[in-house]
Amino acid sequence: MQTRIAALRKQHKLSQEELAIAVGVTRQTITSIEVGKYTASLLLAHKIAKFFNLTIEEVFDFTDLEETT
Amino acid sequence: MTAFRIRVKKRLRLMLVANGMIIGAIGIALHYSNAQVAVLGPSWMLGFVKGLQIGAFLGLQTLLLWQILKTSTTLRSEEALKAQYVYEHDERRALIYAKMGGHPINWTLGGLATAAIIAAFFDATIFFTLLGALLFTALIKGAHKIYYLNHY
């Protein structure tokens, strides 16, 4: 799944570690989400979107998942 | 975080009890060395089984002592406790853990290890069979862990 997390982090001058602490996961989880290896749960997606003051759809691109279901 | 602190403290107490039990187990293993000669046959086999048994106990004890030290350090710092909480409740880690077998595979490994250690007191064939099953199960778990760590 494509996400805008890396771009948003750069925009807010945040490291993966800082974002991970803010949303309560490990840095590795943020890395995996950014490279598209891991799909965040609804709760984590909500936490990340809320952290950036955006909606889930503005952070995560569900197009790939919609095509496969 | 208070509930988690209580849980970690409980875990620390359990580890201390387990450590005491391992010391007892080493004592039993050393005490029954002579009795094992009769059931395990040749001396080289006794030496091998005995070495593996005592080695397993000592290895387990070293791991436990390391964990006890780590847990005590964690309990002293609020920041370390929070980091531990995040690590243990991380959703990606939980998914990988579930995919590689979760609690059932750990219980299986524990059961096989206990059975192998007990069998070492009575019969060499059963001991080696259980040891083979234990190593195979551990290999399956390890392979799945590596695969899913790279996959997710």
Side-chain angles (χ1 to χ4, degrees):
Chain A
M1 190 206 283
Q2 299 288 315
T3 77
R4 284 181 55 218
I5 297 174
L8 288 164
R9 268 196 315 104
K10 275 178 195 150
Q11 201 180 310
H12 288 79
K13 292 188 174 70
L14 277 171
S15 68
Q16 287 183 333
E17 188 75 48
E18 286 166 328
L19 176 63
I21 290 167
V23 294
V25 292
T26 58
R27 189 192 51 78
Q28 288 89 340
T29 301
I30 298 294
T31 310
S32 289
I33 295 170
E34 282 186 4
V35 296
K37 273 186 172 182
Y38 177 68
T39 305
S41 70
L42 181 62
L43 182 66
L44 180 58
H46 168 72
K47 280 182 184 174
I48 294 171
K50 199 178 166 191
F51 179 79
F52 290 116
N53 282 321
L54 295 168
T55 62
I56 292 176
E57 290 89 340
E58 285 172 315
V59 181
F60 297 88
D61 180 8
F62 292 94
T63 321
D64 292 352
L65 291 178
E66 281 166 2
E67 281 169 3
T68 53
T69 52
Chain B
M1 205 49 71
T2 316
F4 184 65
R5 180 182 286 277
I6 292 167
R7 191 141 46 97
V8 175
K9 274 184 182 170
K10 202 186 213 175
R11 201 183 297 165
L12 183 66
R13 276 197 292 270
L14 277 171
M15 283 193 286
L16 288 167
V17 171
N19 199 35
M21 284 166 75
I22 292 171
I23 293 171
I26 292 172
I28 291 169
L30 289 171
H31 185 259
Y32 285 99
S33 277
N34 293 334
Q36 277 176 290
V37 178
V39 287
L40 291 176
S43 60
W44 67 267
M45 197 179 277
L46 173 72
F48 180 79
V49 172
K50 202 83 257 170
L52 217 70
Q53 204 179 31
I54 304 280
F57 286 143
L58 289 175
L60 204 65
Q61 195 169 31
T62 311
L63 276 174
L64 260 175
L65 287 172
W66 167 246
Q67 278 299 322
I68 287 168
L69 196 75
K70 219 172 102 178
T71 311
S72 330
T73 317
T74 304
L75 277 169
R76 277 196 286 269
S77 153
E78 195 64 34
E79 210 168 281
L81 193 69
K82 200 187 168 196
Q84 184 68 23
Y85 180 86
V86 167
Y87 176 74
E88 284 183 24
H89 292 82
D90 181 57
E91 61 173 54
R92 176 178 162 269
R93 187 179 167 268
L95 176 72
I96 292 168
Y97 183 72
K99 286 270 187 185
M100 67 184 205
H103 289 322
I105 203 158
N106 284 340
W107 280 106
T108 308
L109 283 168
L112 283 170
T114 310
I117 287 166
I118 294 169
F121 287 106
F122 307 106
D123 191 285
T125 312
I126 297 172
F127 170 73
F128 284 114
T129 310
L130 287 167
L131 189 69
L134 175 70
L135 291 175
F136 180 72
T137 314
L139 197 73
I140 295 286
K141 185 189 168 182
H144 276 76
K145 188 172 184 173
I146 292 167
Y147 174 76
Y148 285 114
L149 275 172
N150 285 313
H151 187 75
Y152 291 113

